[in-house]
Amino acid sequence: MTMRLIRCHSKPMCFASGKEATTGKVRARFEIKQKLNYGHTMAVVGSSEELGTWDPLHAHSLSWNEDDLWQGEAEVPRAVEFKFIVLGDGEVVSWQPGDNVCLDVPAQAEVIHIRSTSFEDPEALSLTVIEGNTKSDVKNINAFTEAVSSTVLSEPETPTSETLQSGTRESTLNGLKVAELKQMCKERGLPVSGRKADLVARLMNE
């Protein structure tokens, strides 16, 4: 099964199957890591009835777990848009920045696992599609990416200074996610604050 991830300006962020939108529903597992103020909760709101039809008061609530991990499951249409939101006192405290996320899940997929490591960074998002014993990961939100199907998943290695040749170093860094750049800065004792361009410049000048 091949999927690609499309990141467009003025259009939703899309996890697409490369086929026409598929009818029917799929079990979606939502997971986001975020520390919230006391009394605030995390939820998912979207274009389907299960996600509140964009009404925050009817959004799908996520449950808090250890290490500030918010999780929940819902049966959603295979073609759906959504966003994470923070709720408090019966109203929206904040919407996740960036474009909506849109899904177009192929019929053979049984479960999708949507994970985000940061509410403030909409690009810190990944998707795992489960088809029987096979999993396909979609990780790169900045470009068209084909997911590699395998029964054993491994996290991509963070590039080292030795693997980043001078001619391709900057382009390689620009192709990484913010979370990966921050990890590289942390490992090198560099500040991890700032925008993506700041992190890239910091690593280029080390």
Side-chain angles (χ1 to χ4, degrees):
M1 176 178 58
T2 299
M3 295 190 70
R4 69 177 185 272
L5 177 61
I6 308 170
R7 182 71 164 90
C8 304
H9 302 296
S10 76
K11 289 186 177 181
M13 182 191 307
C14 296
F15 293 95
S17 63
K19 303 176 182 179
E20 293 183 1
T22 308
T23 58
K25 293 187 177 182
V26 64
R27 175 161 291 278
R29 297 173 181 168
F30 297 96
E31 179 180 301
I32 183 169
K33 185 177 178 62
Q34 185 68 33
K35 185 174 183 178
L36 300 179
N37 293 333
Y38 179 78
H40 291 175
T41 60
M42 188 74 69
V44 183
V45 67
S47 58
S48 71
E49 184 177 353
E50 298 83 357
L51 302 181
T53 321
W54 293 117
D55 181 353
L57 298 183
H58 293 90
H60 182 74
S61 298
L62 302 182
S63 300
W64 181 89
N65 291 278
E66 191 175 355
D67 294 327
D68 295 312
L69 198 62
W70 296 84
Q71 297 173 312
E73 290 191 8
E75 295 280 344
V76 300
R78 292 179 180 273
V80 66
E81 293 184 30
F82 72 89
K83 257 195 173 185
F84 290 104
I85 57 173
V86 176
L87 300 174
D89 297 325
E91 61 183 14
V92 178
V93 175
S94 59
W95 293 72
Q96 187 173 36
D99 297 320
N100 301 338
V101 178
C102 67
L103 296 177
D104 180 7
V105 183
Q108 61 267 39
E110 300 171 8
V111 180
I112 54 173
H113 189 178
I114 300 124
R115 300 179 301 277
S116 177
T117 57
S118 171
F119 182 82
E120 288 84 5
D121 182 7
E123 294 190 352
L125 189 71
S126 63
L127 173 71
T128 298
V129 180
I130 302 174
E131 179 190 348
N133 293 324
T134 300
K135 296 182 180 180
S136 299
D137 266 8
V138 181
K139 292 179 179 292
N140 189 348
I141 293 184
N142 298 309
F144 288 92
T145 301
E146 288 191 353
V148 179
S149 297
S150 62
T151 55
V152 179
L153 295 180
S154 59
E155 292 297 322
E157 295 183 1
T158 301
T160 63
S161 297
E162 291 73 24
T163 61
L164 296 176
Q165 301 301 319
S166 58
T168 60
R169 182 179 175 85
E170 185 172 5
S171 61
T172 302
L173 290 172
N174 282 320
L176 298 177
K177 294 187 292 185
V178 171
E180 294 171 325
L181 292 170
K182 288 184 176 180
Q183 181 60 32
M184 290 180 67
C185 287
K186 183 178 179 181
E187 291 173 354
R188 290 158 174 76
L190 300 173
V192 297
S193 60
R195 300 171 301 173
K196 182 174 183 177
D198 299 325
L199 299 173
V200 170
R202 206 165 288 150
L203 290 166
M204 288 291 296
N205 294 327
E206 69 167 332

